[in-house]
Amino acid sequence: MAGILAAIKLRDRGIECDVFEKGDGVGGTWRENTYPGLACDVAAHWYTYSFARNPEWDSLMAEGKDIRAYFQRVAHDFGVLERTRFNSEVTELRYREGAWDLACANGYEGRYDFVIAATGVLHHPNIPQFEGIETFKGAVFHSARWDHDVALDGKRIGVIGTGSTAAQLATALVPRAKRFDLFQRTAQWVLPRDNVPYSEEDKARFRKDPEALEALIRELRAKTLEGFATAVIDVDSPELAAIEQICRENLDTVKDPELRRRLTPDYRVACKRLVISSTFYDAIQQPNADLVTSPIRRIEPTGVRTADGALHDLDVLVLATGFLVDRFIRPTRVVGRDGIDLDDVWADGPLAYLSVSVPNFPNFFLLNGPNSPIGNFSLVEVAQHQIEYIMQLIDGIRCGEYSEVSATPEAMHTFEAERCEAARKTVWVTGCDSWYLDKNGVPASWTFSYDRFVEETAAPRMEDFEVR
């Protein structure tokens, strides 16, 4: 998503670029993930580029295949495909004498004036090392590496994990499975949201009147930002209390008190990323579904053995265990000025000034980089704010004001200290083990208001940059 955006914005300024894609097509996480039930939990109309709206969405939240088709269409229509080198994984970037030397696994080498890393975070699968998993005689795969050749109807299916992916899988697979076992390590809070359909009349109105579509997007955006975005950064806010009330009322729809108890988290609502679903609780209450809360001891040839001694016989085992979210551009090796290796700079965790620039890595910029705003809102919009900010820095290079630009160490450390201080008021530090937290227990996300993000990315403060 962000790479397509960067290529379009560079073209708008008349800048030639090459796009390097490790896969065989565009779409990012929507190319990687193809599992049954896949959908976005952000309103589809808001999850589009401002310059390429889509009046054709069928419902409030779109299916994964439709989102990928949207990005494919935009990439085609705006000439991104012809600039893209597919199956070209970048293995090394090295800054030498004012430019970046780039090397790919397929042998390609090139030299570039600047680099934009639009690599995303949800594409390196997190695969736990369960004892005996190699002995399982059925099909086993990660949810982001779905094997569509495996039959599912009438099978005994096990899913490990309880995040958004697992909830969507439960909804899609319980009706198809002979038996569905959901292996839960941690219960999740579930926020209901009906996936309201759009009629043909709605679509026709959006086609005819783009302003009507923009008005809807403003409404969807405001509802999310005024509610959720405010709630997560202020644990004492009435907005968080309101979301907690809705989630508790949703949990009360689980009729069996013992199942409801096991589905009840022991942490504050939104400490972990909220699961957005109006169908998960219904699916897990079906007669052929079972919530397994005893820890997994090992995987055996015929199924999963849990700590209570039970063997859960399975034909298919799905690892809905998330992603390694601290990789960013890695495993690409990035070597900046004076031989400074990004792996060493990020040894204690990824950092970047305003999420876009790293000191001593001149003319190297990140989209949706470390500590960007994350959560249940539009990362497309986040990336648009960031690319406009980056383009202003690139304009300075093109105008001859400077040939190198990167954040100063002082600016990055001041920003990071303020971000960590603000984190103390957020819901993310109220006591849960979350992928939002780095290894030191500090939220690896934007801990200020969303309005501040918009303000900060409106224009660079050049005193925070080293220019040469």
Side-chain angles (χ1 to χ4, degrees):
M1 172 275 294
I4 295 168
L5 171 65
I8 292 171
K9 290 300 180 179
L10 288 165
R11 187 207 65 171
D12 287 348
R13 278 172 162 76
I15 301 173
E16 291 298 320
C17 72
D18 288 337
V19 182
F20 293 87
E21 170 54 59
K22 69 178 182 179
D24 59 2
V26 300
T29 197
W30 303 105
R31 183 196 66 230
E32 302 286 296
N33 289 275
T34 59
Y35 60 81
L38 173 67
C40 187
D41 59 11
V42 175
H45 284 298
W46 188 25
Y47 195 76
T48 57
Y49 305 115
S50 62
F51 53 85
R53 299 302 194 196
N54 177 29
E56 308 302 329
W57 297 120
D58 291 325
S59 55
L60 179 67
M61 292 173 285
E63 295 183 17
K65 63 179 178 60
D66 294 331
I67 298 171
R68 184 183 180 189
Y70 165 77
F71 287 125
Q72 288 175 322
R73 184 169 64 253
V74 172
H76 174 270
D77 292 348
F78 285 83
V80 177
L81 297 181
E82 60 203 47
R83 294 179 171 83
T84 304
R85 297 174 179 268
F86 292 105
N87 300 305
S88 299
E89 181 177 6
V90 178
T91 56
E92 183 175 279
L93 291 164
R94 187 177 292 269
Y95 193 72
R96 291 193 183 100
E97 299 176 352
W100 285 95
D101 290 331
L102 177 149
C104 289
N106 61 13
Y108 175 87
E109 295 182 351
R111 188 165 172 82
Y112 296 90
D113 297 312
F114 51 85
V115 172
I116 298 174
T119 49
V121 292
L122 300 182
H123 59 104
H124 294 296
N126 176 40
I127 302 178
Q129 298 303 306
F130 293 110
E131 178 187 346
I133 194 168
E134 72 283 352
T135 70
F136 183 60
K137 293 182 178 179
V140 58
F141 45 83
H142 191 275
S143 57
R145 300 292 183 267
W146 198 269
D147 187 343
H148 291 277
D149 292 330
V150 173
L152 300 173
D153 293 330
K155 301 299 182 180
R156 298 167 300 178
I157 303 172
V159 172
I160 299 176
T162 49
S164 296
T165 294
Q168 291 178 349
L169 284 170
T171 297
L173 297 183
V174 166
R176 301 175 61 183
K178 176 181 180 181
R179 185 74 189 169
F180 181 89
D181 289 333
L182 183 64
F183 295 89
Q184 173 184 283
R185 183 175 62 179
T186 307
Q188 302 280 348
W189 287 109
V190 181
L191 183 70
R193 190 176 193 183
D194 291 332
N195 196 13
V196 179
Y198 292 115
S199 66
E200 291 304 317
E201 290 76 13
D202 291 329
K203 296 177 188 179
R205 179 163 55 91
F206 295 147
R207 289 187 214 108
K208 182 178 180 181
D209 184 3
E211 179 50 36
L213 179 54
E214 290 301 324
L216 172 63
I217 293 170
R218 286 194 295 271
E219 177 185 348
L220 295 169
R221 182 182 187 276
K223 285 182 178 178
T224 302
L225 295 182
E226 292 170 7
F228 179 80
T230 300
V232 294
I233 64 169
D234 184 359
V235 72
D236 298 318
S237 67
E239 288 84 359
L240 181 59
I243 293 173
E244 287 181 326
Q245 180 65 22
I246 295 171
C247 288
R248 292 187 184 281
E249 290 174 355
N250 190 37
L251 182 59
D252 286 340
T253 64
V254 177
K255 299 174 183 177
D256 178 51
E258 174 57 21
L259 177 59
R260 186 167 61 247
R261 181 191 66 79
R262 291 189 292 139
L263 285 168
T264 303
D266 61 359
Y267 54 85
R268 295 287 300 272
V269 169
C271 186
K272 289 176 175 284
R273 181 186 172 98
L274 280 173
V275 173
I276 310 294
S277 176
S278 293
T279 55
F280 169 67
Y281 285 151
D282 179 67
I284 202 62
Q285 292 181 83
Q286 295 304 307
N288 65 325
D290 187 26
L291 181 73
V292 182
T293 55
S294 180
I296 295 173
R297 179 182 294 171
R298 62 178 177 270
I299 311 297
E300 298 185 3
T302 59
V304 174
R305 180 80 65 178
T306 46
D308 58 5
L311 176 63
H312 304 267
D313 291 318
L314 299 171
D315 302 305
V316 180
L317 180 60
V318 180
L319 308 178
T321 47
F323 299 87
L324 302 173
V325 296
D326 64 345
R327 300 293 85 196
F328 296 99
I329 191 171
R330 297 176 293 182
T332 302
R333 189 182 184 200
V334 184
V335 181
R337 183 185 287 136
D338 301 325
I340 297 175
D341 195 310
L342 188 63
D343 281 340
D344 295 330
V345 175
W346 284 359
D348 292 328
L351 296 174
Y353 171 71
L354 288 183
S355 308
V356 301
S357 180
V358 182
N360 295 307
F361 290 80
N363 305 351
F364 173 77
F365 310 104
L366 298 120
L367 288 175
N368 294 124
N371 309 320
S372 281
I374 55 176
N376 301 86
F377 45 79
S378 175
L379 291 188
V380 179
E381 181 178 286
V382 169
Q384 281 204 233
H385 285 294
Q386 291 174 335
I387 194 65
E388 294 299 340
Y389 181 93
I390 290 168
M391 287 301 173
Q392 292 177 65
L393 295 171
I394 291 174
D395 285 343
I397 297 172
R398 298 181 69 213
C399 293
E401 296 175 17
Y402 43 80
S403 59
E404 298 182 0
V405 59
S406 58
T408 66
E410 295 77 15
M412 188 179 75
H413 292 306
T414 298
F415 167 73
E416 183 62 13
E418 187 178 357
R419 191 187 68 82
C420 291
E421 177 63 25
R424 297 170 63 180
K425 288 186 62 180
T426 68
V427 71
W428 300 311
V429 298
T430 55
C432 69
D433 182 14
S434 165
W435 65 268
Y436 287 155
L437 302 179
D438 65 19
K439 64 182 182 181
N440 300 313
V442 177
S445 60
W446 187 264
T447 57
F448 311 109
S449 71
Y450 192 81
D451 284 344
R452 175 168 172 177
F453 168 73
V454 173
E455 293 165 2
E456 292 272 13
T457 53
R461 290 192 298 268
M462 294 311 299
E463 61 269 26
D464 287 346
F465 288 87
E466 178 184 3
V467 296
R468 297 186 182 182

